[in-house]
Amino acid sequence: MTGRRGALIILEGVDRAGKTTQCTKLVQALRARGRAAEMMRFPDRTTKIGQMISLYLEKKINLEDHTVHLLFSANRWELAPLIKKKLEQGVSLVVDRYAFSGVAFTSAKPGFGLEWCKNPDVGLPKPDLVLFLQLSPAEAARRGKFGDERYERTDFQKTVLQRFEQLMKDPSVNWQVIDAARSIDELHQEILRHSEAAIEQAANQPVAELWN
Ligand code: ADP
Ligand code: 2DT
């Protein structure tokens, strides 16, 4: 590899923690500092697979639970070559949700273990930094009501949060827990600081494989 590669930066967290707000601000700030940066999100609802996932989330179709888990993973794999290409071109990617949401949401369903859920995503481009925006369900509720999509239920989201907490115990992933109950700007400054450090750290290292 010649030159410096970009960093893969993921934002995870419960619904309304501020992931989308912070992804947008982070990309703008990195660009303002002269760094190449782009935003992505999962699921990416624009692909054929993503359109099927979107219909499922909108409750317009039903899919068997293992099947939809594999579709979410396939949606990441179909974009993995583009992710690698961008990183190698020196572009840092700021991504709204990744495999961690995949595992946390499916393993919150009865009968699904963490290991089974992780398997399809083993070997994906490994994030250089995963920022977990932590927010209590009560704070999240103050930011607005749930929408009508599948999974937007308090009891289910509580189990999802427990699964995220299990995933965060894995030291092979560079997790940073961010207290998301603060102002948009305070959060942004902390996220920017972690991201700058990750970009510097990643620059001269090859892209690794997740959970491998
Ligand atoms: P997510 O992508 O995690 O679901 P959003 O970025 O869409 O969250 O934010 C959810 C709602 O909360 C939006 O109305 C947004 O303006 C608001 N919001 C985001 N960050 C904060 C914050 N730090 N404090 C208060 N409200 C926030
Ligand atoms: P948003 O588009 O509002 O983030 O909602 N999900 C996401 C999964 O169940 N598995 C996954 O792999 C991913 C990336 C989280 C998307 C919803 O889909 C869930 C909320």
Side-chain angles (χ1 to χ4, degrees):
M1 192 175 70
T2 55
R4 293 159 58 92
R5 75 159 169 96
L8 181 58
I9 300 167
I10 312 294
L11 274 81
E12 288 279 10
V14 295
D15 206 68
R16 290 162 295 174
K19 297 180 295 299
T20 307
T21 305
Q22 294 298 332
C23 281
T24 308
K25 284 184 75 74
L26 179 57
V27 168
Q28 282 170 351
L30 292 174
R31 286 184 178 165
R33 292 169 164 231
R35 297 201 187 269
E38 290 179 23
M39 182 168 163
M40 292 179 81
R41 68 179 312 132
F42 288 108
D44 179 334
R45 303 188 192 212
T46 66
T47 70
K48 284 269 157 60
I49 293 169
Q51 284 163 20
M52 219 187 308
I53 293 171
S54 190
L55 290 172
Y56 172 80
L57 289 171
E58 293 164 28
K59 299 181 193 158
K60 290 181 179 154
I61 59 168
N62 287 319
L63 292 165
E64 193 275 331
D65 288 328
H66 300 80
T67 309
V68 75
H69 182 74
L70 296 173
L71 284 177
F72 274 110
S73 178
N75 185 228
R76 285 182 281 279
W77 279 108
E78 67 179 334
L79 286 151
L82 179 68
I83 291 176
K84 280 196 202 141
K85 190 173 113 192
K86 293 271 183 195
L87 295 177
E88 276 156 16
Q89 285 172 342
V91 179
S92 286
L93 296 174
V94 176
V95 186
D96 193 337
R97 298 192 189 274
Y98 199 56
F100 313 98
S101 277
V103 175
F105 278 76
T106 302
S107 68
K109 297 179 179 180
F112 285 86
L114 230 49
E115 285 311 311
W116 187 89
C117 293
K118 282 164 79 173
N119 263 320
D121 286 309
V122 169
L124 275 176
K126 182 178 177 174
D128 298 294
L129 172 65
V130 187
L131 296 151
F132 186 79
L133 273 52
Q134 192 147 51
L135 194 69
S136 69
E139 275 294 334
R142 254 174 255 151
R143 293 186 183 175
K145 288 198 167 38
F146 278 124
D148 293 329
E149 285 209 333
R150 208 180 286 265
Y151 304 145
E152 297 190 339
R153 295 186 337 254
T154 309
D155 55 339
F156 189 73
Q157 297 268 338
K158 277 191 188 152
T159 314
V160 170
L161 182 55
Q162 288 169 2
R163 298 294 177 265
F164 271 125
E165 280 162 2
Q166 280 173 272
L167 287 172
M168 280 191 267
K169 289 184 185 149
D170 174 3
S172 79
V173 173
N174 180 18
W175 288 98
Q176 293 292 336
V177 180
I178 307 289
D179 172 9
R182 293 168 297 157
S183 75
I184 290 178
D185 212 54
E186 267 178 290
L187 273 167
H188 169 65
Q189 292 306 330
E190 188 177 342
I191 288 171
L192 181 58
R193 189 166 52 75
H194 285 298
S195 300
E196 286 282 6
I199 290 169
E200 284 306 319
Q201 177 76 28
N204 299 307
Q205 289 175 6
V207 180
E209 293 185 359
L210 179 62
W211 293 324
N212 240 347

